[in-house]
Amino acid sequence: MPEIGIVLLAAGLGTRFGSQPKMLAPLDGKPLVRHAAEAALAARPRPVVVVLGAHADAVRAALAGLDLAFVENLDFHVGLSTSLRAGVAALPGSCDAAVVVLGDMPRIAEVHIDRLAESFANASPAPAAVVPVQDGRRGNPVLLNLRMLADEITRLTGDHGAGPLLRDRPDILEIPGDPATALDIDTPDALRDADYA
């Protein structure tokens, strides 16, 4: 079986959310980021590495008591690419792949993460990535094959995740997504909508 870890990205400023730190916004009685972390821990891949940046101390406190590893991205203000690089670098070198989970996707559950890992483990040949697709659009979380993409990840720049690396590749395994894989919380209105979902 391939060795797969999880990178939980929780470092962003969340500028569209307003003055309140987005990762700490409450939903169903707990901070957004804790929903994502608990889903990650309920899934099978290990370790779970959380990338901190903006509001690092408060986000760490919101995750107190959970069996997580933390890495702080001091360059978080440069954009998402720096957090992805920091998270992948913090995984053990033995990891074949990483499931990248976004801290602002509170409806993601362990089944979404495990489905990515199982799809990767059962694929032959191994794909460069496994991506959920809902209504013709790619969503999150995604699984990245580090044996194929690690060097390219280190060269990512700006406010981009792995999307640019995957855009034109023929070796991406697409699997069915659902509304949860398409829902991220960028604004207070989106949070209110999620609260009623």
Side-chain angles (χ1 to χ4, degrees):
M1 289 291 289
E3 188 171 334
I4 301 171
I6 296 176
V7 173
L8 172 57
L9 301 180
L13 282 163
T15 51
R16 285 186 284 168
F17 200 78
S19 58
Q20 180 188 23
K22 178 172 69 171
M23 293 293 161
L24 305 178
L27 178 68
D28 300 336
K30 66 180 79 167
L32 276 182
V33 70
R34 194 166 179 109
H35 285 273
E38 289 177 351
L41 287 171
R44 287 194 291 275
R46 287 291 184 278
V48 181
V49 174
V50 180
V51 183
L52 302 173
H55 318 290
D57 291 342
V59 172
R60 189 189 297 263
L63 298 174
L66 300 180
D67 184 21
L68 303 163
F70 293 94
V71 60
E72 193 155 348
N73 173 22
L74 300 179
D75 294 324
F76 67 87
H77 56 279
V78 177
L80 184 60
S81 64
T82 62
S83 291
L84 180 58
R85 293 198 323 255
V88 167
L91 289 173
S94 55
C95 278
D96 299 298
V99 177
V100 181
V101 177
L102 306 183
D104 62 357
M105 296 188 72
R107 298 306 186 204
I108 295 300
E110 65 268 22
V111 65
H112 299 100
I113 297 167
D114 284 339
R115 191 179 297 141
L116 292 168
E118 288 163 7
S119 298
F120 179 71
N122 292 329
S124 182
V130 185
V131 182
V133 176
Q134 166 79 355
D135 295 331
R137 296 186 60 189
R138 288 179 172 178
N140 285 287
V142 301
L143 180 146
L144 303 176
N145 183 336
L146 299 181
R147 301 291 171 233
M148 297 174 73
L149 298 174
D151 289 344
E152 294 175 67
I153 290 169
T154 65
R155 294 193 292 271
L156 280 172
T157 60
D159 197 25
H160 302 287
L165 301 184
L166 308 182
R167 189 168 296 125
D168 299 317
R169 293 188 70 113
D171 52 355
I172 307 301
L173 175 59
E174 294 185 339
I175 64 172
D178 60 32
T181 64
L183 173 70
D184 61 342
I185 306 296
D186 286 327
T187 66
D189 285 344
L191 179 64
R192 280 192 292 272
D193 291 344
D195 211 8
Y196 295 114

